[in-house]
């Protein structure tokens, strides 16, 4: 019996649902019963594409919990600028969860942690177990998790194919020496998408130059006296804010969660359950693509 390498895909559920919502939401696909299905269809198409093209041996979909996380305790304004979750997404989630059950795919929700922290923890555990892991998400901060057997999988966008980013690609893209320096870059320049403040007046170019020279935020702050002008003044004045920003940007890899490879092994989908859901959601083409066209019923002979 040939050994099958363990290929684990970790999907950032909410990231992919939002992506699907903004990609297909304008189409306003609605069933006869009034269910808006754009986000659901987009997510399921992405999932099916991964299953068929990448052929993972294991797969987990991770979702954010509803309650606030330790980052909100550190910085109450964290992500405070984000608008409320669109109604279509709230409606979509239970259907997506039911579809995942139909595929036999394990889904996990974090309590007190973000999906990124669960993804990071699971990826590290999988690496120890010898799995090759692909984190599928649109979040750039997950680049800090990349190592020799952990990759960032960027879904296709605007007609471009999906891309796999390994350590070499991350180092080139961020102009750094080690993937973990991504959090130092974010601590310096901030991250508007998460409302991480960073240090004023430090942008992409300056942040990369400082990291190249001093290696990490702590070392930069320790040598801020050697710098000049506004840069020196801001590093001294906003040192605490910079350290807070690094805490916010750092993905936790110590979430108390177990990785059970048996529970997340890819299974044969439950055809009856999925067919019923796809009929309800009027996913006729997807249903036929997965299960074929229904055989025409023979006419009764007299």
């Amino acid at each position: 019996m040939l050994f099958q390498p363990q290929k684990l895909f970790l999907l950032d559920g909410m990231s992919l649902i939002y992506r699907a919502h903004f990609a297909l939401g304008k189409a306003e696909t609605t069933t006869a019963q009034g269910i808006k299905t754009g986000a659901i269809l987009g997510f399921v198409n992405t999932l099916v594409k991964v299953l068929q093209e990448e052929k993972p041996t294991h797969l987990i979909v991770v979702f954010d919990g509803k309650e606030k996380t330790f980052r909100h305790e550190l910085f109450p304004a964290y992500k405070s600028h984000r608008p409320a979750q669109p109604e279509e997404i709230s409606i979509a989630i239970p259907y997506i969860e039911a579809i995942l059950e139909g595929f036999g795919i394990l889904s996990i929700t974090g309590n007190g942690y973000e999906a990124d922290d669960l993804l990071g923890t699971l990826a590290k555990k999988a690496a120890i177990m010898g799995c090759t892991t692909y984190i599928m998400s649109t979040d750039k901060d997950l680049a800090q998790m990349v190592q020799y057997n952990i990759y960032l999988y960027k879904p296709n966008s605007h007609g471009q194919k999906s891309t796999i980013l390994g350590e070499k690609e991350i180092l080139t893209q961020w102009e750094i020496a080690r993937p973990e320096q991504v959090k130092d870059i974010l601590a310096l320049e901030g991250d508007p998408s998460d409302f991480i403040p960073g240090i004023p007046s430090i942008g992409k170019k300056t942040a990369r130059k400082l990291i190249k020279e001093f290696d990490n935020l702590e070392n930069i702050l320790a040598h801020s006296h050697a710098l000049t002008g506004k840069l020196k003044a801001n590093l001294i004045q906003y040192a605490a804010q910079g350290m807070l920003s690094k805490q916010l940007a750092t993905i936790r890899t110590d979430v108390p969660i177990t990785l059970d490879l048996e529970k997340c092994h890819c299974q044969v989908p439950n055809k009856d359950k999925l067919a019923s859901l796809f009929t309800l959601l009027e996913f006729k083409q997807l249903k036929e693509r997965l299960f074929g066209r229904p055989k025409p019923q023979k006419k009764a002979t007299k």
Side-chain angles (χ1 to χ4, degrees):
M1 183 177 178
L2 293 174
F3 171 73
Q4 184 182 20
Q6 293 175 325
K7 186 177 183 181
L8 171 64
F9 262 73
L10 299 173
L11 274 57
D12 184 346
M14 291 307 297
S15 169
L16 296 176
I17 292 173
Y18 266 86
R19 172 179 171 273
H21 168 71
F22 289 114
L24 296 178
K26 292 181 180 179
E28 295 187 357
T29 310
T30 307
T31 69
Q33 294 181 356
I35 305 170
K36 292 183 178 181
T37 58
I40 306 170
L41 181 60
F43 178 89
V44 177
N45 277 334
T46 298
L47 175 66
V48 170
K49 186 179 177 69
V50 166
L51 290 170
Q52 292 181 341
E53 295 185 2
E54 302 299 339
K55 295 179 172 54
T57 58
H58 301 77
L59 193 146
I60 303 173
V61 180
V62 177
F63 291 98
D64 290 305
K66 293 181 180 179
E67 59 282 322
K68 293 186 181 297
T69 71
F70 70 93
R71 290 186 180 85
H72 295 95
E73 294 177 9
L74 287 170
F75 186 52
Y78 182 67
K79 291 188 176 181
S80 61
H81 65 306
R82 290 192 177 184
Q85 183 170 285
E87 183 184 10
E88 183 185 340
I89 289 180
S90 299
I91 293 169
I93 291 172
Y95 289 105
I96 288 172
E97 290 174 340
I99 290 168
L100 291 174
E101 286 182 20
F103 275 104
I105 291 172
L106 178 66
S107 62
I108 299 174
T109 302
N111 294 315
Y113 298 92
E114 291 184 67
D116 286 359
D117 301 309
L118 272 70
L119 292 166
T121 299
L122 291 169
K124 285 290 188 182
K125 288 180 180 290
I128 294 170
M129 294 179 181
C131 297
T132 300
T133 302
Y134 299 84
I135 302 175
M136 186 172 184
S137 176
T138 58
D139 286 359
K140 62 183 180 181
D141 52 348
L142 283 160
Q144 66 189 266
M145 296 307 308
V146 172
Q147 59 180 57
Y148 76 95
N149 58 352
I150 299 176
Y151 299 86
L152 196 55
Y153 189 98
K154 292 285 187 179
N156 60 306
S157 179
H158 304 296
Q160 296 182 342
K161 292 183 178 180
S162 301
T163 54
I164 297 173
L165 303 175
E167 192 168 348
K168 179 181 177 182
E169 290 78 13
I170 295 300
L171 299 186
T172 300
Q173 187 180 90
W174 289 77
E175 300 175 37
I176 50 180
R178 304 182 311 283
E180 67 232 41
Q181 291 173 311
V182 166
K183 56 196 174 190
D184 294 286
I185 295 286
L186 294 174
L188 287 166
E189 65 182 39
D191 186 358
S193 66
D194 287 340
F195 212 47
I196 295 176
I199 293 179
S201 301
I202 293 184
K204 178 179 177 179
K205 187 176 179 180
T206 302
R208 282 152 178 74
K209 182 180 177 182
L210 287 169
I211 293 301
K212 196 171 290 184
E213 185 174 355
F214 297 102
D215 190 72
N216 57 59
L217 175 65
E218 291 82 356
N219 203 33
I220 293 168
L221 296 176
H223 293 83
S224 57
H225 61 277
L227 301 170
T228 59
K230 189 175 182 181
L231 177 60
K232 174 182 178 179
N234 282 349
L235 283 168
I236 293 172
Q237 181 178 351
Y238 295 99
Q241 182 169 295
M243 290 303 299
L244 171 64
S245 296
K246 184 168 180 176
Q247 279 186 282
L248 297 173
T250 299
I251 292 174
R252 296 279 294 269
T253 59
D254 60 349
V255 178
I257 187 172
T258 301
L259 174 59
D260 188 333
L261 293 179
E262 286 296 319
K263 289 184 178 180
C264 63
H265 197 282
C266 290
Q267 304 174 29
V268 176
N270 185 323
K271 180 179 177 180
D272 292 337
K273 184 167 187 175
L274 288 176
S276 176
L277 283 164
F278 292 163
T279 298
L280 172 67
L281 296 167
E282 299 176 9
F283 292 168
K284 183 179 178 182
Q285 290 184 336
L286 179 61
K287 183 179 174 182
E288 290 182 355
R289 181 152 54 96
L290 288 176
F291 307 123
R293 292 188 177 184
K295 294 180 180 180
Q297 294 181 345
K298 292 182 180 180
K299 292 183 179 180
T301 55
K302 292 183 179 179

